[in-house]
Amino acid sequence: GQNIDQPTEMTATEGAIVQINCTYQTSGFNGLFWYQQHAGEAPTFLSYNVLDGLEEKGRFSSFLSRSKGYSYLLLKELQMKDSASYLCAVRDSNYQLIWGAGTKLIIKP
Amino acid sequence: ETGVTQTPRHLVMGMTNKKSLKCEQHLGHNAMYWYKQSAKKPLELMFVYNFKEQTENNSVPSRFSPECPNSSHLFLHLHTLQPEDSALYLCASSQDTSGSYEQYFGPGTRLTVT
């Protein structure tokens, strides 16, 4: 079966750095997405990785290792507005998106 | 605003009712999706339309019936639902169903079946 694993919940302090991990086992791989979802709102796209390595976008970076079936989302200089759920999704060999259950990130002052 | 709108935002219906959810995208995309989101569970893909043709139906019960009259509009017709169908129903669109195209989501319809 296909599976995406993420921690259920994480807590971090305002101004700090947090890393949210995602491991996947899918039939084939055609890219990995990270989305942010604030409570009661729609998921919004954060990043896309298809090749190994780090993609940086402002305070957010995403890393991919295809050989390890592993990705992480790195959030720097945390702000209170970063409190949200972070969803990892992998596109499989049929180009279908397989979603993780999301990681709820709580930021404390 | 993501360019994808959904109505209604909230819906309470009895198990014998018939209702419809509506989604509209203003992005010129060719693919549209229905997802079900339940608490602490992964997003469940229900239906996919690409260029108005249904390309995915992930073993969804027949009490959910999609309709895609054109590339900009998507409906989900509901009838004789069960309490376990209570969830957030999200519509999304993308340029295509392949490659690096990200999906843009609407705000969702919070459905409660009583």
Side-chain angles (χ1 to χ4, degrees):
Chain A
Q2 309 206 85
N3 196 47
I4 309 280
D5 283 315
Q6 311 177 228
T8 303
E9 187 173 298
M10 299 181 71
T11 302
T13 305
E14 191 177 15
I17 299 173
V18 71
Q19 178 175 308
I20 302 174
N21 296 325
C22 170
T23 57
Y24 61 89
Q25 293 158 325
T26 56
S27 54
F29 178 84
N30 279 300
L32 184 145
F33 295 81
W34 284 97
Y35 282 78
Q36 180 190 60
Q37 186 177 23
H38 285 100
E41 296 183 14
T44 54
F45 169 75
L46 286 178
S47 68
Y48 172 74
N49 294 70
V50 67
L51 299 176
D52 290 351
L54 189 68
E55 294 279 343
E56 296 188 74
K57 226 187 232 187
R59 294 189 298 114
F60 292 8
S61 304
S62 56
F63 172 83
L64 175 67
S65 169
R66 288 171 296 170
S67 62
K68 294 183 180 177
Y70 168 70
S71 173
Y72 67 72
L73 181 69
L74 192 72
L75 290 75
K76 301 177 186 175
E77 301 167 18
L78 286 170
Q79 301 174 11
M80 297 304 293
K81 66 178 182 179
D82 297 329
S83 292
S85 288
Y86 291 85
L87 312 179
C88 173
V90 173
R91 201 184 290 286
D92 69 10
S93 57
N94 294 320
Y95 289 94
Q96 185 166 132
L97 266 185
I98 312 301
W99 293 84
T103 298
K104 183 178 180 180
L105 178 63
I106 299 168
I107 309 296
K108 295 188 174 178
Chain B
E1 282 294 326
T2 62
V4 182
T5 58
Q6 289 186 244
T7 54
R9 295 293 307 274
H10 299 272
L11 178 62
V12 178
M13 59 186 287
M15 289 190 282
T16 57
N17 292 159
K18 286 186 182 181
K19 296 285 184 183
S20 296
L21 310 185
K22 179 183 175 183
C23 175
E24 184 174 0
Q25 57 97 358
H26 310 273
L27 301 168
H29 287 166
N30 298 307
M32 295 188 77
Y33 312 78
W34 278 118
Y35 285 95
K36 176 183 179 182
Q37 187 173 38
S38 303
K40 300 187 179 177
K41 286 187 177 180
L43 282 173
E44 296 175 46
L45 179 65
M46 300 175 72
F47 302 103
V48 181
Y49 280 83
N50 200 23
F51 293 92
K52 299 191 300 177
E53 297 296 320
Q54 186 175 313
T55 58
E56 291 286 340
N57 175 346
N58 281 0
S59 304
V60 180
S62 60
R63 56 187 185 268
F64 295 93
S65 173
E67 178 189 359
C68 187
N70 55 61
S71 293
S72 300
H73 293 85
L74 187 64
F75 295 89
L76 188 63
H77 304 300
L78 316 171
H79 67 96
T80 58
L81 294 190
Q82 304 299 311
E84 60 264 29
D85 297 323
S86 297
L88 181 68
Y89 288 84
L90 290 164
C91 173
S93 72
S94 65
Q95 186 60 44
D96 202 336
T97 54
S98 62
S100 64
Y101 297 117
E102 69 266 31
Q103 294 179 11
Y104 292 76
F105 286 83
T109 295
R110 174 68 61 186
L111 174 68
T112 304
V113 181
T114 60

